[in-house]
Amino acid sequence: MLDYAPDLDRVFHALADPGRRTMVERLSRGPASVSELGQPMEMSLAAVLQHVRVLEACGLVTSSKVGRTRTCSINSAALRSAESWLADRRTMVERNLDRLGEFLAATDTQEQP
């Protein structure tokens, strides 16, 4: 059953790019201008803006423009939806591993005289 937010695919697509992950990491420390986001990477301002648009389209980032400066901020709710989805997968895997461990322990006990 697919019970996650429809934007989750876009969130993971956005996070698949290392440059956008770098931007999200920077924004997790606080708001930053588009030029500040591009400083640690060797890319043009136009390329940085394209990445920001992808991050905005999936809801990870919001931005506002005052004069000529566009300031970006992280949207923690979008990050929480991805985190929740990952946590659900982790829980399922851990349950399966626990059951496997129980099965192997029971099998080992049955085989010993």
Side-chain angles (χ1 to χ4, degrees), residues 79-104:
L79 280 176
R80 279 193 299 273
S81 70
E83 180 183 20
S84 174
W85 186 88
L86 288 169
D88 290 346
R89 304 297 79 70
R90 170 183 272 163
T91 300
M92 289 185 340
V93 168
E94 288 173 351
R95 280 188 206 142
N96 288 339
L97 289 174
D98 289 345
R99 286 197 326 246
L100 176 61
E102 291 167 4
F103 173 78
L104 292 174

Side-chain angles (χ1 to χ4, degrees), residues 31-62:
S33 69
V34 170
S35 59
E36 289 173 327
L37 290 176
Q39 282 177 350
M41 300 172 280
E42 293 185 20
M43 67 175 65
S44 68
L45 187 58
V48 174
L49 278 170
Q50 285 180 339
H51 286 296
V52 167
R53 285 186 189 113
V54 171
L55 292 168
E56 285 180 315
C58 72
L60 281 172
V61 169
T62 59

